[in-house]
Amino acid sequence: MRALRILTALACAAALAACATRLPEPAAVPALDAAARARAEALQAVRAEALLADPAWQLEGRASITRAGKGGSGRIEWRQDGPAFEVALAAPVTRQSWRLAVDGGGARLEGLEGGTRHGPDGQALLFEATGLEVPVEALGAWLRGLPADEAVHGPARLEFGADLLPARLEQVGWAIDFRAWRPSTGGAPALPLRIDARRGDAGVRLVVDAWSGAEP
């Protein structure tokens, strides 16, 4: 019931809600030859270095969350400052929202029935309160097209597209497809504009409208 309440709170316009109930289909990833993969890995290393040198950033966009055929959509804001982050989801139609903040002192979840909840782990707190399996601790890296810390989250596998940018990232049982990119301009690294993630019957779809603070 808790999961149903939050999904209902996040439900948006009918067209968006219908889209949210379908898991994203896996993207087609081309096979690169050894030379092209080597170039892609070299470019990724440069991109990662630039992004990791700027740990404070934020994005605004639209997100949909799906689990077991049920889902909801809404606006998302993500603010990251090193290991600390804050994510807010809001449904424009119902005007309901929730906010998760995680820092060195633990996690805080606001906006749900029953008041503010606290816990040591953001992902566990969100699942306990809503039933949503969202890998929030790893998303800060995934959102920028980077593997999460392998010492914490385990090994990652990264595949590249014909443009030599990341096309798919697999880690902790999740497959993350990067379907559109903001190109590198003026020395700023390329950043994802559309991301689809899935694991089992759970899926997260994100369309980024604006990046900020992610400049070298």
Side-chain angles (χ1 to χ4, degrees):
M1 291 297 295
R2 289 177 299 183
L4 182 58
R5 284 198 297 270
I6 186 63
L7 288 171
T8 301
L10 290 175
C12 229
L16 284 176
C19 178
T21 61
R22 297 191 299 270
L23 282 175
E25 294 294 329
V29 179
L32 299 182
D33 60 29
R37 182 169 181 86
R39 291 197 301 273
E41 290 175 346
L43 290 171
Q44 175 70 359
V46 172
R47 199 179 70 84
E49 182 178 7
L51 291 172
L52 293 174
D54 186 11
W57 53 271
Q58 66 183 60
L59 67 78
E60 298 178 8
R62 293 155 283 157
S64 65
I65 300 172
T66 305
R67 187 180 183 219
K70 296 182 174 64
S73 303
R75 299 291 305 176
I76 184 171
E77 294 183 2
W78 187 291
R79 294 181 175 85
Q80 189 92 19
D81 188 2
F85 65 89
E86 183 175 295
V87 56
L89 278 169
V93 173
T94 63
R95 298 185 182 277
Q96 293 178 297
S97 64
W98 59 258
R99 183 180 302 272
L100 174 68
V102 178
D103 56 25
R108 182 181 73 257
L109 181 60
E110 303 172 343
L112 299 184
E113 183 179 332
T116 301
R117 294 169 169 83
H118 297 84
D121 176 85
Q123 181 170 335
L125 180 62
L126 187 61
F127 181 77
E128 178 185 349
T130 69
L132 297 176
E133 295 185 80
V134 182
V136 290
E137 304 289 354
L139 269 175
W142 295 352
L143 288 172
R144 299 202 290 176
L146 301 173
D149 186 350
E150 294 192 14
V152 176
H153 301 283
R157 176 181 175 85
L158 189 59
E159 299 292 341
F160 300 93
D163 56 5
L164 305 185
L165 289 168
R168 176 173 296 151
L169 172 64
E170 296 178 358
Q171 194 170 23
V172 293
W174 283 83
I176 304 98
D177 289 333
F178 302 98
R179 298 182 183 260
W181 286 81
R182 187 191 78 175
S184 175
T185 56
L191 286 166
L193 292 177
R194 181 183 169 194
I195 302 167
D196 290 342
R198 64 194 180 283
R199 186 181 72 176
D201 65 356
V204 178
R205 174 170 288 165
L206 175 67
V207 176
V208 180
D209 294 323
W211 283 98
S212 58
E215 309 297 336

